[in-house]
Amino acid sequence: MKISIRNQQKQLPVTKELRALIKKVLKNGLDFMEFDSNCEISILLVDNNEIHKLNKLHRDIDRPTDVLSFPMFEYDEDGEIDISECDFGENGEILLGDIVISLERAKEQSEEYGHSFEREVGFLTAHSLLHLLGYDHMEKDEEIEMFELQEEILKICDLPR
């Protein structure tokens, strides 16, 4: 697995511990979801202003958000990744997708919800990973399933509520 993390914000420090946390959530999340393919995920860390621009550009929603997910593949009729539609990295990894996290919003939400910044970043990473894997929360039953999976991933990563 290849994980690249780029920091494009200056609001909060991006420590090696924070980078390790993001990687841990992604690796444990993929293991928990039994996704055994070699893959590549790109993480972009931004501020509220930058994620606002991306949210407007890609979703036509004119406000900042906490996280955006950009899957790089299609699913077949059985819900499996359609390998024929995948792009591959230089070492043959499936390009799973891109995740954009507003660290500024993560900090705000951690204070709003009364938990640690690390727990919030872990939550946003797990949430976005599930989006990359095809999960959504548009319907109530989808939301329940997705949030249960997120909590299991966070427990494995020692980031429970």
Side-chain angles (χ1 to χ4, degrees), residues 46-95:
V46 299
D47 59 23
N48 285 348
N49 186 49
E50 186 61 28
I51 209 162
H52 183 162
K53 292 176 193 173
L54 293 170
N55 206 23
K56 174 72 173 148
L57 177 67
H58 294 286
R59 298 175 64 219
D60 201 29
I61 298 175
D62 194 15
R63 68 177 188 273
T65 189
D66 49 8
V67 67
L68 293 168
S69 308
F70 299 99
M72 303 277 291
F73 56 86
E74 299 292 327
Y75 287 96
D76 64 19
E77 58 277 352
D78 296 323
E80 300 294 324
I81 292 175
D82 185 348
I83 296 295
S84 68
E85 296 293 323
C86 288
D87 290 326
F88 295 89
E90 58 190 40
N91 295 318
E93 312 95 341
I94 293 173
L95 299 180

Side-chain angles (χ1 to χ4, degrees), residues 25 27 29 50 60 62 66 74 95-96 102 113 116 119 130 135 146 151:
V25 171
K27 288 177 183 177
E50 186 61 28
D60 201 29
D62 194 15
D66 49 8
E74 299 292 327
L95 299 180
L96 200 56
S102 170
Y113 299 135
S116 71
R119 196 307 184 179
L130 290 171
Y135 288 84
M146 189 170 173
E151 287 305 315

